[in-house]
């Protein structure tokens, strides 16, 4: 109960004091960071499946 309350309060404080991220910036971050990291993850998992029996 205390942990849930602490997480909720921290989320409210962070959301209140940090500036909001515009949708265009979020989409740019997804294209620049998200998709390359996802592809890298697919490659690493595929290589691990091939190498580790």
């Amino acid at each position: 109960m205390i942990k849930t309350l602490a997480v909720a309060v921290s989320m409210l404080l962070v959301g209140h004091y940090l500036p909001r991220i515009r949708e265009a910036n979020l989409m740019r971050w997804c294209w620049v960071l998200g998709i390359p990291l996802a592809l890298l993850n697919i490659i690493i998992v595929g290589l691990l499946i091939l190498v580790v029996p």
Side-chain angles (χ1 to χ4, degrees):
M1 177 76 177
I2 294 173
K3 186 191 274 187
T4 304
L5 185 62
V7 170
V9 167
S10 65
M11 288 175 68
L12 288 172
L13 286 175
V14 167
H16 182 71
Y17 287 112
L18 289 180
R20 293 187 183 187
I21 300 173
R22 291 183 9 204
E23 291 180 24
N25 289 341
L26 188 60
M27 292 297 290
R28 185 170 42 96
W29 287 351
C30 288
W31 280 106
V32 170
L33 290 175
I35 291 182
L37 287 176
L39 292 174
L40 182 66
N41 186 25
I42 291 170
I43 292 170
I44 289 173
V45 170
L47 289 174
L48 284 174
I49 289 173
L50 288 175
V51 172
V52 178

